[in-house]
Amino acid sequence: MVLLAACVAPQSNVRLGSDGMPLPQVYQIKPGTENEISYRLLDSVNSLRRAHAAQPLAFNAALNAAAATHSRDMSVQNRPWHFGSDGSSPLVRIQRAGYTGTLQGELISETFETELVTLAAWMKQPDTRAILLDPSSRDLGFAWYQEPNGKIWWTLLTGN
């Protein structure tokens, strides 16, 4: 009987699509995991940069604040784009947040997926990959806003 029980596949809550692949699941960010998510993203970006001979990035509080403001604002507007509801550009937003360096780039995303899946999607596109790997960047700002339905608005800023 024990041998037969070992042959039974374990029950799984993973739903499969018509292609046999697992269907995407909503990534629910739990309170208290903010630092874990932020540093997992930073470590991953810096690993990618190291592989391309670029110096590591460090979090910048002003860029983080500008990213957080824009993530929430994109949710209010219900669209992923680089302009604030007041018409502000990324440059204006980082200046308002007190960043005195030079803006190198802004990456945004509207998704139900993790920060690492989002990073992988950014790395697949030449223009967004160039922002992540820009050797002149030194600072990173990263934040998100998750709606009650699970949709996440990610914003990443780089500067020097």
Side-chain angles (χ1 to χ4, degrees), residues 39-111:
Y39 282 101
R40 184 169 42 239
L41 182 279
L42 178 65
D43 290 345
S44 297
V45 167
N46 283 336
S47 291
L48 292 166
R49 289 176 62 81
R50 227 178 349 269
H52 289 86
Q55 290 186 345
L57 300 179
F59 279 128
N60 176 279
L63 289 180
N64 284 340
T69 299
H70 191 55
S71 290
R72 183 173 287 275
D73 190 46
M74 285 189 297
S75 172
V76 169
Q77 297 181 71
N78 196 33
R79 64 178 168 182
W81 76 322
H82 294 282
F83 294 95
S85 56
D86 62 356
S88 61
S89 68
L91 180 59
V92 168
R93 288 192 302 276
I94 67 165
Q95 290 170 342
R96 285 180 188 162
Y99 187 68
T100 57
T102 303
L103 174 68
Q104 296 301 107
E106 178 181 66
L107 303 180
I108 58 173
S109 179
E110 168 196 20
T111 184

Side-chain angles (χ1 to χ4, degrees), residues 14-159:
V14 176
R15 294 182 6 211
L16 301 179
S18 60
D19 60 358
M21 298 299 293
L23 292 173
Q25 296 184 12
V26 174
Y27 177 50
Q28 287 293 337
I29 298 174
K30 295 178 177 62
T33 62
E34 294 83 2
N35 285 341
E36 180 182 325
I37 291 167
S38 293
Y39 282 101
R40 184 169 42 239
L41 182 279
L42 178 65
D43 290 345
S44 297
V45 167
N46 283 336
S47 291
L48 292 166
R49 289 176 62 81
R50 227 178 349 269
H52 289 86
Q55 290 186 345
L57 300 179
F59 279 128
N60 176 279
L63 289 180
N64 284 340
T69 299
H70 191 55
S71 290
R72 183 173 287 275
D73 190 46
M74 285 189 297
S75 172
V76 169
Q77 297 181 71
N78 196 33
R79 64 178 168 182
W81 76 322
H82 294 282
F83 294 95
S85 56
D86 62 356
S88 61
S89 68
L91 180 59
V92 168
R93 288 192 302 276
I94 67 165
Q95 290 170 342
R96 285 180 188 162
Y99 187 68
T100 57
T102 303
L103 174 68
Q104 296 301 107
E106 178 181 66
L107 303 180
I108 58 173
S109 179
E110 168 196 20
T111 184
F112 290 89
E113 298 176 317
T114 72
E115 68 282 357
L116 296 182
V117 171
T118 302
L119 177 59
W122 286 332
M123 284 298 291
K124 286 181 184 177
Q125 300 300 319
D127 56 340
T128 54
R129 180 176 53 246
I131 291 169
L132 290 165
L133 301 179
D134 184 344
S136 65
S137 293
R138 299 290 177 264
D139 299 323
L140 178 74
F142 178 65
W144 63 89
Y145 176 74
Q146 186 166 37
E147 296 178 354
N149 68 2
K151 184 189 297 184
I152 307 169
W153 302 87
W154 301 102
T155 304
L156 182 146
L157 294 160
T158 58

